[in-house]
Amino acid sequence: KLGCDRVINYKTEDVHKVLRKEFPKGIDLVYESVGGSIFDACVSNLAVHGRLVVIGAVSGYADSTFWDASAESTAKPVAPLAARLLAKSASVRGFFLNHYTRQWRPHMTKLFELIQAGKLQSVVDSTPFRGLESVADAVDHMYAGKNTGKVVVALDTKSRL
């Protein structure tokens, strides 16, 4: 249903070990949004000339470790990022959506066309969140990893805030 070759349950499986076992030559391209130990596992399992695109680090948003490297803690010490990238001639590139506002409209149009054609499925979490007062609960729900798909908060358009 999710349309991928292999789902890794990060809560029950060691992501690093799964990637190392199932992709012994490494991964050519990673689209990474979690950060922390998942980022480390992805970097460690890049192929020679592999590329890692960072679009966020949700694991560090709630406690601010995303912005403060001294606050990070990893389960095991890892070689410095520069050394790990150099050893594989690999690269990491940040992708901050706000830097690409001119491309939004054509790409959103393309995504909607793919959804309408049945070539792309959009998954929305079934947990109901209603009103601005439930936004914090919705964010907590997402950070706790309880969602499958996008978390949506329904707003009352008649509300006068």
Side-chain angles (χ1 to χ4, degrees):
K1 183 174 180 175
L2 294 175
C4 60
D5 295 326
R6 167 71 154 87
V7 174
I8 301 173
N9 184 339
Y10 72 95
K11 293 179 180 180
T12 61
E13 297 178 273
D14 183 317
V15 174
H16 177 79
K17 288 179 181 176
V18 170
L19 294 176
R20 178 72 66 208
K21 179 182 177 190
E22 297 191 19
F23 302 95
K25 293 183 179 179
I27 302 167
D28 295 319
L29 178 63
V30 177
Y31 185 80
E32 211 282 314
S33 63
V34 178
S37 63
I38 302 296
F39 175 85
D40 288 337
C42 291
V43 170
S44 295
N45 287 286
L46 282 172
V48 172
H49 302 289
R51 296 167 293 156
L52 192 147
V53 179
V54 178
I55 64 149
V58 72
S59 68
Y61 293 165
D63 63 6
S64 299
T65 56
F66 175 68
W67 302 108
D68 182 6
S70 65
E72 282 190 30
S73 64
T74 57
K76 59 181 179 180
V78 294
L81 180 60
R84 293 189 289 162
L85 295 173
L86 178 61
K88 297 179 180 185
S89 295
S91 63
V92 173
R93 181 167 186 164
F95 181 90
F96 186 56
L97 188 59
N98 291 344
H99 294 155
Y100 298 89
T101 56
R102 285 186 296 217
Q103 289 86 9
W104 286 3
R105 184 176 302 274
H107 288 286
M108 290 302 288
T109 300
K110 177 69 173 174
L111 288 173
F112 285 130
E113 288 171 359
L114 290 170
I115 290 169
Q116 288 176 338
K119 294 180 180 179
L120 179 66
Q121 273 191 334
S122 178
V123 178
V124 177
D125 190 79
S126 62
T127 306
F129 294 101
R130 301 201 191 301
L132 284 176
E133 63 278 359
S134 70
V135 169
D137 292 335
V139 171
D140 287 344
H141 180 74
M142 181 184 68
Y143 281 161
K146 296 178 181 177
N147 62 302
T148 299
K150 298 292 181 187
V151 174
V152 175
V153 177
L155 301 178
D156 179 6
T157 58
K158 296 176 184 176
S159 177
R160 298 185 70 166
L161 295 176

